[in-house]
Amino acid sequence: MGVGSRVRLGLLIILVASSLALPAAQAPPRVRFGVVTDIHYADIDAAGARTYRESDGKLAECVQVMNAKGVAFLVELGDFKDQDKTPDEARTLKYLEEIESVFAVFKGPRYHVIGNHDTDSLSKAQFLAAAPNAGIVPNATRYTFVSGGVRFVVLDASHKGDGSDYDHGNFDWGDSNVDAPQIAWLAKTLGASLEPVVVLVHQQLDGTGAYYVKNAAEVREAIERSGKVIAVLQGHRHEGAFSTINGIPYFTFRGLIEGAGLWNSAYSIVDVTADLEVRVLGYRRAETKSFTAEAAARFSPSASRPAPRRSS
């Protein structure tokens, strides 16, 4: 059986299974969107559980599911592509173009979050030229858009400690930072938002250590002071994770790259309900989970307007 046949058979099984997993009657969500992360596509041999060459087939199945479910948009949370053991700019760009062509089969707006591996052998400008974001100014690595009455804010944590960009592999992946101008932009964007907000980022914001943004506490301060963020959605840590800090849920999606075969893929559909509960429906190995932020109550019909969080 060829890759295309396996994807079609897998799609049929998944669509039936997912329909059984959901309650029979639900109010329509404010917005339903697709999420996938850590695809790491490259035409290279597997390294441990990382099956680089299989990621295009896994993503193809994900895109077919998203099209069948009619999600409003599809976002990948970083590490979209990978590279050869000996870095080669031309070959890396070819891998990016190949995986973007699979992503482009999605029949709706597509968005990218910059991950550390996205600047292996490439600049951010090169990455975005080959993998543009729907309706977003070219070369913008931080940006915002609204879908279904929810504002989505995309952050770029692929900066070194001095604020300079990751570029052609000139970085230590454990030294990720959100630069000062971006934190100021984040605070201004959150302050001006009339909508509840979902933050999208590759590296994690909810802890300390190699996988976490070094100045995560500063970013969280801006998020918490706004009183408007209902979820922070992250990638980077392939096994996934979940935490809540000061009433804000931080959900880390499992990486698509890990494991051989379509059954070892991972991607999700996320609903934001009318009352701002966030429901993640995981496909294949991805986790299914629901959570509600404290900020959701500030947008309830009885609340006059969202109140910002004040520091003591």
Side-chain angles (χ1 to χ4, degrees):
M1 184 182 292
V3 173
S5 297
R6 291 198 300 272
V7 169
R8 287 190 292 273
L9 176 59
L11 175 64
L12 177 61
I13 295 170
I14 285 169
L15 291 178
V16 171
S18 64
S19 66
L20 296 175
L22 293 171
Q26 293 187 98
R30 292 191 184 206
V31 61
R32 171 172 290 166
F33 59 98
V35 177
V36 62
T37 192
D38 292 275
I39 295 163
H40 286 270
Y41 173 72
D43 186 12
I44 59 176
D45 293 338
R50 295 191 179 189
T51 53
Y52 304 97
R53 200 173 274 128
E54 295 187 25
S55 288
D56 57 348
K58 291 179 180 181
L59 182 60
E61 179 189 87
C62 164
V63 168
Q64 287 191 42
V65 170
M66 300 304 164
N67 282 333
K69 293 295 185 179
V71 299
F73 64 87
L74 179 57
V75 59
E76 61 89 11
L77 295 180
D79 285 0
F80 194 42
K81 59 84 188 162
D82 218 289
Q83 66 175 358
D84 297 276
K85 287 185 178 179
T86 301
D88 183 285
E89 183 181 72
R91 286 179 60 82
T92 303
L93 188 57
K94 180 174 179 287
Y95 299 151
L96 173 57
E97 291 168 346
E98 288 173 348
I99 199 64
E100 176 66 14
S101 72
V102 178
F103 200 51
V105 175
F106 176 64
K107 300 175 182 177
R110 308 185 310 277
Y111 299 100
H112 300 271
V113 178
I114 294 289
N116 49 295
H117 280 280
D118 296 324
T119 54
D120 286 338
S121 301
L122 301 177
S123 68
K124 292 177 182 179
Q126 285 175 298
F127 178 88
L128 290 171
N133 297 306
I136 303 301
V137 175
N139 291 337
T141 62
R142 66 186 193 210
Y143 57 92
T144 183
F145 62 94
V146 175
S147 183
V150 176
R151 179 167 296 280
F152 294 84
V153 174
V154 175
L155 298 180
D156 171 16
S158 290
H159 295 266
K160 296 189 288 185
D162 62 4
S164 61
D165 285 324
Y166 285 11
D167 188 351
H168 285 81
N170 69 340
F171 56 87
D172 173 358
W173 72 269
D175 179 26
S176 65
N177 299 267
V178 176
D179 58 304
Q182 186 174 185
I183 293 177
W185 171 85
L186 172 64
K188 183 177 180 180
T189 300
L190 294 176
S193 180
L194 300 177
E195 304 88 3
V197 177
V198 172
V199 174
L200 306 171
V201 63
H202 179 66
Q203 295 93 337
Q204 293 175 278
L205 289 172
D206 55 333
T208 58
Y211 284 93
Y212 300 93
V213 174
K214 294 302 182 188
N215 61 338
E218 294 178 58
V219 182
R220 291 198 306 269
E221 172 67 14
I223 287 172
E224 291 167 12
R225 287 179 68 87
S226 76
K228 299 174 184 177
V229 176
I230 60 170
V232 177
L233 305 182
Q234 313 170 131
H236 199 42
R237 185 183 291 272
H238 294 185
E239 66 268 29
F242 178 78
S243 69
T244 301
I245 301 176
N246 292 331
I248 299 171
Y250 293 77
F251 185 89
T252 303
F253 292 85
R254 291 176 182 162
L256 175 144
I257 180 67
E258 299 287 337
L262 290 175
W263 51 90
N264 276 317
S265 186
Y267 51 91
S268 306
I269 288 179
V270 181
D271 282 357
V272 178
T273 69
D275 60 0
L276 298 181
E277 179 185 21
V278 178
R279 297 176 177 173
V280 180
L281 175 61
Y283 288 78
R284 298 297 195 182
R285 291 184 303 101
E287 183 180 5
T288 292
K289 192 174 186 66
S290 297
F291 43 88
T292 304
E294 288 182 4
R298 301 186 178 100
F299 290 90
S300 69
S302 59
S304 59
R305 62 184 178 87
R309 182 185 180 91
R310 289 182 171 82
S311 58
S312 55

